[in-house]
Each structure stands twice: as C-alpha cells, then as structure tokens.
Amino acid sequence: MFCFITKWMVSRSHDTGKPLSGLTARHIGRCGECSAFARATESLGAALRRDARELKRDGNNALNEKIISSLITERVRVPRRRFMPAPAFAAALLVVLITATVLFRTGPVSTPDPGVFPAIEVPGTMDTPDVLRNVTDIAVKVESPIETEMHSLERSVKSAAQSLLDGLDPKIKG
Amino acid sequence: MEKPLVSDRLSDEELAADARAGSRSSFEELVHRYSLRLFHFLRPRVGTDQDTEDLVQETFLKVYRNIHRFDTAYKFSTWLYTIAVRLTIGFYRKNRANGDGPTPESAGTWADPQDEMIREQESQNLWDTAKKLRPDLYQALWLRYVEDLPLKEIAGVMKKSRVHVRVLLHRARLQLGKQLNPAGEKEKFQCFAL
C-alpha cells in the first residue's frame, strides 16, 4: 500500500516539479522497488522525449500538400473594429458626470462690477445712441475668466457628445 | 511539396502573428511543423488514417479561418490542440448519430491483429507502444512529453481538472511500463508492476 502511494508521489513530483517529502524520500531510499520506479520514471520520460524527436523529424508531404491546397480558397479575415455599446455608453456617462460636477461646484457666477462707467469719458457733444452702443460693446467685452472657461468647457462637452452620438449604431440610436 | 521560405528560428507564436497579418507562407510553416504531430496525436482516438488526415485538415482550416482570434500571449500549440480535441469530439458525435465509425472505447486498437503483430515487431519507437494505451492516457502523455505543455494547459486542452491529468499521466506511465516489460526495455521498467 505504501509503495502504491510512494509511486503516486514520485509521479506527481515528476509532473509538478515539487520536491518529494522527507517520508517519501526515506521510503525510496529503503525500498528497492520504489527507487527503481523513480529512476524508471525519469528514463521513461527521457525515452519518450527522444522518440518524439524522431517522430517530429519525419514529414508527411502528401498531408501537408492536401492541407495547404485546401487553404487556397480561404482568406484570412482582417479583424474589424466593432462598435461596443457598453464602453461608449460608459464614456458618455463619465463626460456628463464630470460636467455636472464642475457646474455644481462652481455654482452661480456673479459678474464682478466691471467698473467701466466711471472710466468712460463721454464727450458732451456725443449723441445718446452712440453712447449706448459704446456701453453695450464694453459690457460684451467684459467677461469673467470663469465664464470664459465654462463656455469653452460647454462647447467641448457638446462636441464630445455629438461625436459619440455620430459613432452610435443607427439601430441603437433609434 | 517544398518547405516554405520562412526562417526556422521564428517561434510558433511569431509565425502565427505573421499569418494573422496575412502571411500565407508563415501559416504553411506552421502546417509543416504541426501536421504530423497532430496526426500522431489524433490517430489512436480516431481509428483510421483517412479520418485522422481529414480531421487534421479540418483543424488547420479552422485555425486559418480564426487566426485573427489567436492571442500571441498564449502558446500556439495549446490553441491548436484544443481546437483539434473539440473537432474530434464533434467527429464522434456525428459518427454516433450516423451509427458508424469508431467509438471512443474501440478507438486505439489496430484493425488487423496481424498488422498489429508486424508493427510490434518492427516498432523501435516507444510511441508505437504508447498508441496501444487508452486514447486519453496516450494524449496526456503526448501533450506532456512531445509538446512539453504544463499540467494546467494539458488540463485546458483535454477539458479535465489538473488532478485528473496527473492521474492520467500516472496511469499511463504504469501501463506503458507494464507493456514494455516483455520487450527490450524489460530490465529498465520491471518496477512498473504494482
């Protein structure tokens, strides 16, 4: 019985590369049959590898020709880039979340007092409509850096969402 | 047929990557490297030379059609043998449905006993003796010693657990040792008797 287990352990060690336990090694040292089995397992493995090399050397040209000629009608398929709805949806969701977070954190933006009116020197001879037009122009020009940034972010988000929508499969887009 | 003009130094995986990019000569080199090995691997399970050749051809066709799916991070031989084993299972099912062809139990035995005797006398190669083992034992030995696959990959190809593969290999060694006893390897493998 113990020899049966030892042979199994030898075989296992041969396949997994794990070293033999002390108990098994001691038994092999004492038992002639098990030590012969351990040696024979090694030599059987070596003999199988040696004979396999001989098998590999021989060629079967008729079989090769048959296989290769059957490939002539076949074409290698070039992998196509497939539309993957899940990653596209995740990316779109991420963009929306980032935008919402940015908008929420910045909050309502109060436009600072431009303080332009005192600086404007309105000549007394100027007509009223011209004065008004100048004021409007100045007001348009004055824009806080945060607002500029938000406008630019909004434009980028819109263009990203548009390109994602363009990439969507028409069936999914409905 | 002439061997394709592809360097012998390229690994199987490099050749498969070239074939994936459209190189037919690289694929032909893979055919040259593996057709006979695949034939010897499948022969005991399939039963006849003709059916085995057809299965080898079918395997390579399937590999060629799906070469774009091959991941070069894995071994080409593992992928190839896995496809071959799957096709062999399909071959059995088809034959069983038609009511002809070999069964897994009968496969692995030579049709004519006289031929078997002649082959045995002429046989110098251990693998000819190994062919008389049960097909699953033979295939486990083949993947282990010819293809040098680790246990994990053998288990993947044969659709069995690693422990099951270890048991198969152990039984294969014991039975092969017993079969070798009456022949020339007698002294060396006497200890295989339980």
Side-chain angles (χ1 to χ4, degrees):
Chain A
M1 181 64 189
F2 200 71
C3 287
F4 178 82
I5 296 167
T6 305
K7 283 177 184 177
W8 162 249
M9 298 302 265
V10 167
S11 206
R12 195 186 72 160
S13 156
H14 183 70
D15 289 329
T16 59
K18 284 181 188 169
L20 291 168
S21 68
L23 186 67
T24 313
R26 277 196 298 278
H27 175 80
I28 290 171
R30 282 196 302 269
C31 175
E33 190 187 322
C34 288
S35 64
F37 177 84
R39 281 196 305 275
T41 302
E42 285 295 327
S43 54
L44 182 67
L48 284 168
R49 283 202 172 94
R50 182 198 62 218
D51 287 0
R53 279 197 291 275
E54 278 176 29
L55 279 187
K56 284 184 195 176
R57 260 205 300 273
D58 303 330
N60 187 340
N61 285 340
L63 177 60
N64 290 342
E65 198 171 348
K66 188 178 159 189
I67 295 165
I68 290 165
S69 61
S70 71
L71 297 176
I72 291 169
T73 53
E74 295 290 327
R75 272 179 55 238
V76 175
R77 288 178 197 172
V78 180
R80 279 174 51 212
R81 276 190 71 185
R82 286 183 301 171
F83 174 71
M84 292 176 289
F89 179 74
L93 194 68
L94 190 70
V95 168
V96 169
L97 280 174
I98 290 170
T99 314
T101 312
V102 168
L103 289 175
F104 179 75
R105 291 193 70 169
T106 49
V109 181
S110 58
T111 312
D113 181 15
V116 288
F117 291 105
I120 295 171
E121 287 177 14
V122 183
T125 54
M126 193 179 274
D127 294 332
T128 312
D130 286 342
V131 171
L132 281 176
R133 193 163 54 244
N134 279 345
V135 169
T136 314
D137 287 348
I138 291 160
V140 167
K141 279 175 194 166
V142 175
E143 199 176 25
S144 75
I146 295 172
E147 272 189 331
T148 317
E149 203 179 320
M150 278 178 62
H151 285 311
S152 121
L153 185 63
E154 194 182 341
R155 276 196 299 276
S156 333
V157 167
K158 274 181 185 168
S159 83
Q162 189 55 47
S163 55
L164 275 171
L165 273 173
D166 292 342
L168 272 176
D169 195 321
K171 283 180 194 166
I172 298 168
K173 215 159 66 174
Chain B
M1 175 168 276
E2 289 292 313
K3 259 193 101 180
L5 297 168
V6 174
S7 172
D8 286 347
R9 281 172 300 177
L10 285 178
S11 71
D12 297 339
E13 290 70 34
E14 285 168 331
L15 287 172
D18 286 351
R20 195 174 54 187
S23 164
R24 190 183 287 268
S25 57
S26 296
F27 193 81
E28 286 177 12
E29 172 63 22
L30 286 172
V31 171
H32 279 275
R33 284 188 192 180
Y34 278 98
S35 64
L36 194 64
R37 281 148 80 173
L38 210 52
F39 178 85
H40 284 300
F41 174 72
L42 295 174
R43 176 63 180 79
R45 194 173 271 276
V46 175
T48 68
D49 284 355
Q50 186 57 49
D51 285 342
T52 313
E53 284 191 3
D54 289 348
L55 261 177
V56 171
Q57 185 183 5
E58 207 178 320
T59 304
F60 276 108
L61 267 175
K62 191 160 188 182
V63 166
Y64 192 66
R65 282 178 194 142
N66 294 289
I67 194 78
H68 61 277
R69 290 187 187 165
F70 175 66
D71 185 352
T72 46
Y74 298 97
K75 280 184 87 169
F76 176 77
S77 57
T78 309
W79 191 55
L80 179 73
Y81 278 99
T82 307
I83 290 173
V85 168
R86 302 290 184 276
L87 284 174
T88 314
I89 293 167
F91 171 79
Y92 276 140
R93 286 189 184 142
K94 205 168 79 182
N95 280 337
R96 203 184 297 159
N98 294 342
D100 54 22
T103 60
E105 292 76 27
S106 70
T109 54
W110 299 107
D112 189 347
Q114 208 172 2
D115 279 356
E116 190 183 350
M117 227 168 68
I118 294 165
R119 277 175 205 269
E120 201 171 323
Q121 280 171 0
E122 287 176 348
S123 167
Q124 295 292 315
N125 196 308
L126 266 181
W127 287 102
D128 289 329
T129 315
K131 273 178 186 164
K132 282 179 263 174
L133 297 175
R134 232 172 56 199
D136 54 347
L137 301 182
Y138 171 83
Q139 289 194 333
L141 273 185
W142 183 274
L143 294 173
R144 174 80 177 86
Y145 290 109
V146 180
E147 298 302 335
D148 266 325
L149 294 186
L151 283 181
K152 188 183 169 188
E153 291 185 22
I154 298 174
V157 170
M158 298 184 74
K159 272 182 125 176
K160 294 184 192 305
S161 69
R162 265 184 259 189
V163 177
H164 196 157
V165 172
R166 284 211 306 257
V167 171
L168 287 178
L169 286 169
H170 182 57
R171 282 186 188 158
R173 286 186 195 111
L174 290 173
Q175 290 185 19
L176 190 57
K178 275 184 201 169
Q179 288 191 8
L180 290 169
N181 276 344
E185 305 273 1
K186 190 173 179 176
E187 300 78 22
K188 210 185 278 183
F189 301 113
Q190 191 73 53
C191 52
F192 279 93
L194 286 169

